[in-house]
């Protein structure tokens, strides 16, 4: 009985605090504003990069430089990236510009064999390739537009029929523990849901394809 007044007081104080903060969104995280819904081919400004997303494909072997997957597939998000910063960007900003939400079995980072549950799919970091020659995108030069593919490895029997792609914006600031200043704090700012097109695996020209697959001329065709 002695504890009841204290419990009631705590409840009243909590209700009062919620009432006072209600006009400002209650206890919601004010640092994460609602995301904008965009469409395919729409330009999304992230700060250092203008991003467009065009399509999504799934493939057990997208090209010659990829090892074939027997227990899953690669997920490839195609689009363009244009550097809008004054200096050349590294692969880090380009990889952090895109995330997949709600997709089970994504590898946390390429070739780590650390596959994540659906609740942690946003932690899975893609590897970015240039579509033109299927090489790794190591940098993004200012004022140039590249057609790129953000690529994940997924351990699953089949790819999802559609995927929610989230584009992340950055903040230009200095880190608190050192003198480094750059594009930090990637945060989802826009998203779109696109269907996943399943493509047959790449087959070396001249080789006999399996009955379930037909050759494709390039990894990004």
């Amino acid at each position: 009985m002695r504890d009841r007044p204290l419990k009631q007081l705590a409840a009243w104080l909590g209700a009062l605090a919620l009432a006072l903060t209600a006009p400002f969104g209650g206890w919601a995280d004010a640092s994460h504003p609602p995301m904008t819904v965009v469409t395919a081919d729409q330009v999304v400004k992230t700060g250092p990069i203008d991003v467009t997303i065009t399509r999504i494909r799934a493939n057990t072997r997208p090209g010659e430089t990829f090892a074939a997957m027997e227990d899953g597939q690669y997920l490839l998000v195609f689009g363009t990236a244009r550097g809008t910063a004054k200096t050349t960007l590294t692969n880090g900003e380009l990889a952090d510009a895109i995330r997949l939400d709600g997709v089970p079995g994504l590898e946390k980072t390429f070739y780590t064999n650390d596959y994540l549950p659906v609740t942690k799919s946003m932690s899975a970091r893609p590897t970015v390739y240039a579509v033109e020659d299927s090489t790794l995108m190591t940098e993004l030069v200012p004022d140039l537009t590249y057609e790129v593919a953000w690529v994940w490895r997924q351990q699953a029997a089949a790819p999802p029929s559609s995927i929610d792609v989230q584009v992340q914006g950055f903040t230009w600031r200095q880190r608190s523990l050192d003198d480094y200043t750059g594009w930090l704090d990637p945060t989802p700012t826009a998203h779109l849901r696109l269907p996943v097109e399943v493509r047959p695996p790449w087959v070396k020209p001249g080789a006999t394809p399996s009955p379930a697959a037909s050759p494709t001329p390039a990894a990004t065709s």
Side-chain angles (χ1 to χ4, degrees):
M1 295 297 293
R2 289 181 300 176
D3 294 336
R4 179 174 297 178
L6 293 177
K7 292 180 180 179
Q8 290 177 342
L9 179 59
W12 291 336
L13 290 175
L16 178 60
L18 184 59
L20 292 175
T21 59
F24 308 101
W27 284 327
D29 189 350
S31 64
H32 294 79
M35 287 186 292
T36 301
V37 179
V38 297
T39 58
D41 297 309
Q42 182 175 340
V43 176
V44 180
K45 296 184 179 297
T46 69
I49 309 170
D50 282 357
V51 171
T52 66
I53 304 299
T54 58
R55 63 195 186 279
I56 305 175
R57 288 178 177 171
N59 199 313
T60 57
R61 191 183 184 191
E64 185 175 11
T65 58
F66 292 82
M69 288 191 66
E70 298 181 356
D71 57 351
Q73 52 273 319
Y74 297 88
L75 299 178
L76 298 89
V77 175
F78 290 91
T80 64
R82 179 178 181 271
T84 58
K86 295 180 180 180
T87 59
T88 298
L89 299 175
T90 68
N91 178 270
E93 290 91 356
L94 192 55
D96 283 338
I98 301 296
R99 287 292 184 268
L100 303 184
D101 187 30
V103 179
L106 295 182
E107 203 170 48
K108 188 173 183 179
T109 56
F110 234 48
Y111 300 114
T112 61
N113 293 322
D114 183 13
Y115 293 97
L116 302 174
V118 63
T119 55
K120 295 185 179 181
S121 65
M122 288 285 289
S123 299
R125 202 167 192 260
T127 299
V128 190
Y129 291 84
V131 171
E132 183 178 5
D133 56 9
S134 298
T135 58
L136 286 171
M137 286 287 298
T138 58
E139 58 183 21
L140 190 63
V141 179
D143 299 324
L144 293 182
T145 300
Y146 299 85
E147 186 178 5
V148 299
W150 289 269
V151 183
W152 289 260
R153 283 163 51 98
Q154 182 195 26
Q155 188 181 53
S161 59
S162 65
I163 292 177
D164 187 73
V165 181
Q166 299 198 2
V167 182
Q168 302 200 119
F170 300 83
T171 300
W172 177 263
R173 68 172 179 86
Q174 181 178 333
R175 286 197 299 228
S176 58
L177 297 180
D178 56 27
D179 296 329
Y180 174 79
T181 299
W183 294 101
L184 303 171
D185 310 321
T187 304
T189 58
H191 73 110
L192 70 162
R193 179 167 286 276
L194 291 176
V196 177
E197 178 189 6
V198 179
R199 297 295 298 269
W202 178 87
V203 176
K204 186 176 182 179
T208 302
S210 64
S214 59
T216 54
T220 56
S221 63

